[in-house]
Each structure stands twice: as structure tokens, then as C-alpha cells.
Amino acid sequence: MGWIREKIDAAIRWKATPYIVLIIGCSILLFPLYWTVITSFKSVGEIFTWPPTLFPKDWTLYNYVKVILNSPIPLNILNSVIYALVVTAFVLVVGVLTTYGLVMYPYRGSEKIAFTFFATRIIPPQSLWLPFLIMLTRLGLVNSRPGVISFLVVLVYPLSIWMLRGIFGAFPRELLDAAEIDGATRLQALIRVVLPVVAPGVGAVAIISFLWSWNEFMFPLLCLNSPELYPITLGIFRFVSDEGIQWGSICASGVFAILPGMIFFIIAQRYIVEGLTEGALKT
Amino acid sequence: MRLKNSTFGILCSVPGLIVLLAFIAYPLAYNFVVSLMKYKYTMGGYVGFSNYLRVISSRDFKIGWRVAFYYSVGSSGLAFLVSLVMAESLRRIKRLRAFFRTLVILPWSVPLVLSGIVFKWMFDGQIGIVNYVLRLLGIVSDNIAFLYHPTWALATAMVGTAYVYVPFMTVLIHAGMESVPAEVYEAASIDGADELQKFRYVTLPLVEKQMLIAFFIVWMFTFRTPDLIYALTKGGPGKATFHAGLYLMRTIYSYLNFGHGAAISVLMFITVALVIGPVLYFVFVKRG
């Protein structure tokens, strides 16, 4: 048995092994993404050929033209942008102010309050579907933009506050005291001294909040019935019907749905990794 | 007129607390009240816990919870194993680390529902590329109708979901590994530990906390979120992938039985809390 173990150890220890694992792993992970992008450039005929082609024989923009000119997708993209931006802005303003108070100027019970924010993360958003639907109906906000936005806030809020808390916690206290000695008020200190330093972390939180709102599907499905209010996730789903599934349109609009995330991750992956770690692992 | 620091702190937290109360605490309480009412199309009277009894004794509840448990444990377990291997590989490379990390994170930008649709197609029995690859490699001789067999359908849902959460989990576990000083690994090498031993005696005990958290965060997500299944199978074939979230959705949306829906919501919350509570206690209180 000993020699088998040595063989395994040698194989694992081999310098190239982690690279090979990562190349194979990333290929499998990225394949569905590749498949979506590549299919969006295929003609309708080619999408249904067997065997499937790994690469379009003839590149065509037909799917894109169709989606942009003859479907509500551009409007859906606009809706998603509005929803995600409003939610992110709202959560950031409230969240930054709250964590600034909690972390920099602690008071009796501030630890407990911080823990309450942490604890809210185990509440399944799904268990708030129903009260939100009933409340929004009563307020006349079901099937409206504010209705969707209010639920997205619940989705994003607890984790964002928690990540911000970790980010503010890492800020050197001395800088803040120095600013106050220089005569800045506490709010001025926040804007001029603290925010510039924690900006990368806050940016990461903003990106995660944005993507989370952008990707939400179920609540908008339950709450909206006017196609002109649909976010992109619902817009894509409209191409799935009993008559058949329009793969070309799905993949073309899917590319639009994936783009913001791709761009954000490529630009800011380091900060996102740090922010996530802060939010998920630290207490 | 200058406020005391602690007073200023309280003032800063007020907006955050208002949002917490208005958007989370109040709806939760309201939901609980509704769960004690007869509420089908219109609000009826107080019925105590009869909604809960009705829900728990229904067949759909048993199916929904069973599917959600299988599915969540299966997907998070599978995602965990893959993430562990990916994170360990990331830890060991010197060059191209940022590049590979970006590649690993990228699939995270795909909305769950789109993943569901794309997998529905890749695993299709007639034109699915997965069948094509399996046949090409000689693993199967005939196409498998993945989404028409109950067991295959659930397995496909698990694989698809694991795929969605691997990026997130890899990042968390990798971050945990980064916090282990390199000297510890060097010391283990000097003591003659082989790679498997290093993993067992260094990585496991030191990154255990992050691994537990990563696993249970993903477990929590998958137990409560039916988006991918909705897009992949809508709960079929039969009720093979009838996730608890779909049961809740159907009760609210198709049957408009809000009393039952509220009871299901509360039960969902309780289930998650019962599993996650002890884990949090174990990780944060006992471990310090």
C-alpha cells in the first residue's frame, strides 16, 4: 500500500498538477458561458444541428438584431439597470451611515444591533414573498417599480451592512481622530477622510449589491404582470414557452444579462474577493 | 452645541434600523399573523395553528421538504468538493494566480435562472451537448433523457446548482487558505509531511471554520432558492424536483391560499434556523 500512496503523493506534488486541475476545472466551469455566447452568434438552423457545432460555421448577428429590434429586451435591460442602481444607491447610503455609527462611535448596545443585522441573514427572502405581496397589494404597489425595488432591498441589505461593517472596522482610528483635531465635523470626516480610504471596499459592496438585484428572478415573477416592467431575467424567460424555446433569442439576451457581472469581475475581482471574505467569514 | 460621540453613533444608526424594522421585522411579524388566519382569496378569521397542521400533513409538504433537503445537501456537497480542489490548486500556484482566480469567479455573473435554461438545453435528450460528449467518449451508447427520469432530473439540478455556486465557494475557501501563514506549510514539509498529510493536518484544522461557513451559506441558498429548478424542470417530471420553494410559490400564486403560504414561509424559516443556528453557535461561540 505504501508505494501507492507515494505515487499519489508524487502526482499531487508535481509542479504542474495544480495548473492542470485549474485548466480542466475552469474549462468545465466556463463551458456553459462559452456555449451561451457562441450560440448567440449561430443561425437558427445551426442551433438545432446534430452533432452540435462547437464553433459557428457562419457568424450572424441575426439573434441580436431580432432581440434588440423586435422584443422588449432593451426595455427589460433598462428596468434591470434602474432596479439595481436604485437598490444599490439606497443600501449604500443607509448602510454607510449605519456602519459608520456602529463601528466608529459605538454606544451601549451597538454590538447587539450589529449582531441583529448579522442574524437577519438567515431569514430566507422566500419567507418574505407573501407578506410583501399582501402589503404591496394593499398599498397599490404590486406590479410597480417601487414594489420590486422594496423587495430587492430586503434581499441585499443584511449582507451589505455586514460587509461594510468589516470594511469600516479595518479603518485606522487615528486618522479619524486627527481629522477631528483639525476641526472637521464627524460627517465631514466621513466624507473627506474615511470614504476615500474605504472606497475600494465600498465599491465591492456596491458591485455585489448591484449583481444580486440584477440576477433576481422569482419575486419579480410573482409581483409583476406588465411586461414593460420586467427585469432582464424575466425578459429572457419569456422566450421559454410551450410552443418551443427560442434558443437564439435566449442566448443573445443572456449575453446582455451576463455582461455587467463579467465586466465588474474582471475590473474589480480583487476587491470583490476581499469584500466577500469580509462579509461572509468575519464576525 | 456638539453631540456626545455615542449619541452621534445612535443617530447614524437610526436610518439603518428603520429599514430593518420596516422591511424585515414588520413583514416577518405580519407573515406570522397571516399564518394564524384563514386567508384564501379573502381574509377570514383566526384559526390558530390549523394552517400549520394542514401544511405539515400534506403530501406536497413532505415532497417539497425532502426534495429541498436532497437537492441542497447534494448541490452544496458537490460544490464543496470541487471548490476544495480548486482552492487548494489556487493556493499552490505562484504564477497566473490572479488570472485563474478571475476565470473561476466569472461564472458567478450568470443569473441562476439563465443557468437553469442553459442547462435544460445542454442536458437535453435529443440535441444536448452533454449527451454528445458522453457518446463521443464512449461512456454511453444511447442518449440519456436526463430531464425525463426522476432521479436523473434531480441529479442534473444538483450538478447545475453546484456549477453556479463553485465560484463563490472557491473564493471563500481560498480566502481562508490565504490566511494561513506560508511558514506553517513549510514547517510541515520539513517534518516530512506528504501532500495528503499536509491537507489533513494543516489545511483542514486551520481552515475548518471558513469551510464550514462556506458550506452552510451555500446550503442555505440552495435550500431556499428554487430559481434554477423552476427554469430547468418546473418541479417535474411528476414531482421529482418539487422544491419547497416551488411548493410555497404554487400555494401563493396558483392556489392563492395565503394562510397556508404564510405557514409554509414560517416553516421554511424555522427549518433554516434549526440547521444554521447550531452551526453558527459552534463556529463563533465555541471556537471563539
Side-chain angles (χ1 to χ4, degrees):
Chain A
M1 281 311 287
W3 64 273
I4 295 182
R5 187 162 177 146
E6 267 169 44
K7 276 259 190 291
I8 293 174
D9 182 51
I12 296 176
R13 191 178 305 206
W14 188 40
K15 273 243 178 331
T17 305
Y19 289 100
I20 295 171
V21 169
L22 284 171
I23 288 168
I24 294 174
C26 289
S27 311
I28 294 173
L29 274 182
L30 291 170
F31 185 79
L33 229 97
Y34 167 84
W35 197 232
T36 308
V37 175
I38 258 334
T39 305
S40 68
F41 292 107
K42 285 182 183 177
S43 65
V44 177
E46 193 176 346
I47 287 171
F48 284 101
T49 49
W50 179 269
T53 47
L54 272 176
F55 212 68
K57 281 202 217 47
D58 317 299
W59 294 78
T60 167
L61 287 174
Y62 170 77
N63 296 314
Y64 287 94
V65 172
K66 196 171 121 196
V67 159
I68 291 168
L69 295 181
N70 294 332
S71 84
I73 287 289
L75 193 60
N76 300 151
I77 294 173
L78 182 71
N79 284 331
S80 277
V81 170
I82 294 171
Y83 297 151
L85 277 183
V86 173
V87 170
T88 306
F90 179 80
V91 166
L92 276 194
V93 170
V94 174
V96 163
L97 203 59
T98 305
T99 37
Y100 184 58
L102 280 176
V103 175
M104 299 295 180
Y105 302 101
Y107 44 91
R108 226 176 44 178
S110 56
E111 277 302 308
K112 282 199 180 68
I113 289 179
F115 185 78
T116 310
F117 277 114
F118 175 72
T120 51
R121 283 171 49 196
I122 70 165
I123 300 168
Q126 287 66 20
S127 59
L128 294 172
W129 281 348
L130 183 78
F132 261 82
L133 286 171
I134 298 176
M135 281 159 36
L136 292 174
T137 309
R138 294 229 169 126
L139 295 168
L141 288 174
V142 80
N143 192 33
S144 76
R145 288 199 170 92
V148 175
I149 288 169
S150 64
F151 186 83
L152 293 177
V153 167
V154 174
L155 207 62
V156 173
Y157 190 65
L159 183 68
S160 302
I161 294 258
W162 197 255
M163 286 196 289
L164 286 169
R165 185 172 170 264
I167 288 156
F168 274 79
F171 183 83
R173 183 79 222 203
E174 301 76 39
L175 280 178
L176 196 62
D177 297 336
E180 285 194 27
I181 290 165
D182 288 345
T185 65
R186 281 162 297 198
L187 280 178
Q188 280 171 340
L190 168 65
I191 291 162
R192 290 192 197 146
V193 182
V194 182
L195 278 182
V197 176
V198 295
V202 174
V205 176
I207 288 176
I208 290 168
S209 306
F210 185 96
L211 286 179
W212 216 316
S213 319
W214 179 271
N215 288 347
E216 175 62 10
F217 169 76
M218 273 297 180
F219 188 79
L221 177 76
L222 294 170
C223 149
L224 298 174
N225 52 30
S226 319
E228 65 270 18
L229 296 177
Y230 281 2
I232 178 86
T233 41
L234 278 175
I236 294 175
F237 208 77
R238 289 186 72 204
F239 295 121
V240 180
S241 69
D242 297 337
E243 290 95 69
I245 304 180
Q246 304 168 39
W247 294 117
S249 305
I250 284 174
C251 290
S253 44
V255 168
F256 290 124
I258 296 166
L259 268 180
M262 294 265 251
I263 295 165
F264 286 147
F265 282 136
I266 290 169
I267 293 172
Q269 59 111 9
R270 208 182 91 227
Y271 299 116
I272 291 172
V273 170
E274 281 166 15
L276 255 186
T277 315
E278 208 62 67
L281 302 180
K282 302 271 162 54
T283 52
Chain B
M1 171 57 205
R2 192 180 146 81
L3 296 164
K4 273 182 20 209
N5 268 348
S6 58
T7 318
F8 178 80
I10 292 173
L11 279 180
C12 278
S13 327
V14 166
L17 283 172
I18 290 174
V19 174
L20 188 74
L21 290 172
F23 283 65
I24 297 176
Y26 175 74
L28 265 184
Y30 184 77
N31 191 42
F32 183 68
V33 171
V34 171
S35 77
L36 303 174
M37 300 278 178
K38 182 169 174 50
Y39 195 150
K40 206 173 170 181
Y41 320 117
T42 51
M43 183 75 119
Y46 172 82
V47 291
F49 283 92
S50 86
N51 284 328
Y52 288 90
L53 294 174
R54 279 276 174 77
V55 165
I56 290 176
S57 58
S58 79
R59 243 186 98 241
D60 280 354
F61 170 79
K62 291 185 185 69
I63 295 171
W65 251 249
R66 196 177 60 223
V67 167
F69 261 107
Y70 283 161
Y71 164 78
S72 57
V73 172
S75 346
S76 38
L78 186 61
F80 182 75
L81 291 177
V82 176
S83 305
L84 204 55
V85 173
M86 297 295 274
E88 177 74 13
S89 306
L90 270 178
R91 179 183 73 76
R92 285 184 50 203
I93 64 176
K94 298 275 183 293
R95 277 185 218 138
L96 296 175
R97 189 187 267 193
F99 169 74
F100 275 117
R101 203 164 59 178
T102 311
L103 283 190
V104 170
I105 300 183
L106 277 186
W108 199 34
S109 55
V110 187
L112 268 171
V113 75
L114 180 62
S115 291
I117 302 172
V118 171
F119 276 102
K120 184 185 179 119
W121 176 33
M122 285 175 59
F123 282 87
D124 188 278
Q126 266 93 43
I127 56 162
I129 188 150
V130 174
N131 271 312
Y132 176 69
V133 171
L134 288 176
R135 274 169 59 174
L136 207 66
L137 298 172
I139 297 172
V140 295
S141 54
D142 273 327
N143 280 1
I144 301 173
F146 283 105
L147 301 175
Y148 293 96
H149 285 290
T151 320
W152 275 123
L154 192 57
T156 306
M158 286 178 191
V159 169
T161 309
Y163 154 85
V164 172
Y165 287 111
V166 159
F168 176 70
M169 235 179 184
T170 305
V171 166
L172 290 190
I173 297 175
H174 177 62
M177 287 176 177
E178 295 242 281
S179 64
V180 178
E183 293 84 15
V184 181
Y185 285 105
E186 281 160 26
S189 295
I190 293 166
D191 291 341
D194 63 25
E195 293 296 329
L196 292 172
Q197 283 170 326
K198 264 193 220 171
F199 177 74
R200 203 180 139 198
Y201 296 107
V202 181
T203 308
L204 268 184
L206 290 179
V207 191
E208 185 186 48
K209 185 173 138 182
Q210 286 91 336
M211 286 186 191
L212 270 176
I213 295 174
F215 177 85
F216 278 100
I217 287 179
V218 173
W219 176 82
M220 197 163 71
F221 284 159
T222 46
F223 183 81
R224 68 196 196 187
T225 314
D227 298 35
L228 190 132
I229 293 189
Y230 182 81
L232 189 74
T233 60
K234 280 233 167 82
K239 284 195 175 164
T241 54
F242 190 62
H243 188 280
L246 292 179
Y247 173 41
L248 173 62
M249 189 182 154
R250 189 177 293 185
T251 309
I252 298 172
Y253 204 61
S254 310
Y255 305 148
L256 297 176
N257 193 332
F258 292 170
H260 283 193
I264 297 167
S265 310
V266 174
L267 289 167
M268 210 166 185
F269 182 20
I270 291 173
T271 309
V272 172
L274 280 179
V275 174
I276 298 287
V279 174
L280 286 179
Y281 176 79
F282 175 77
V283 169
F284 295 131
V285 181
K286 281 187 79 170
R287 294 296 161 114

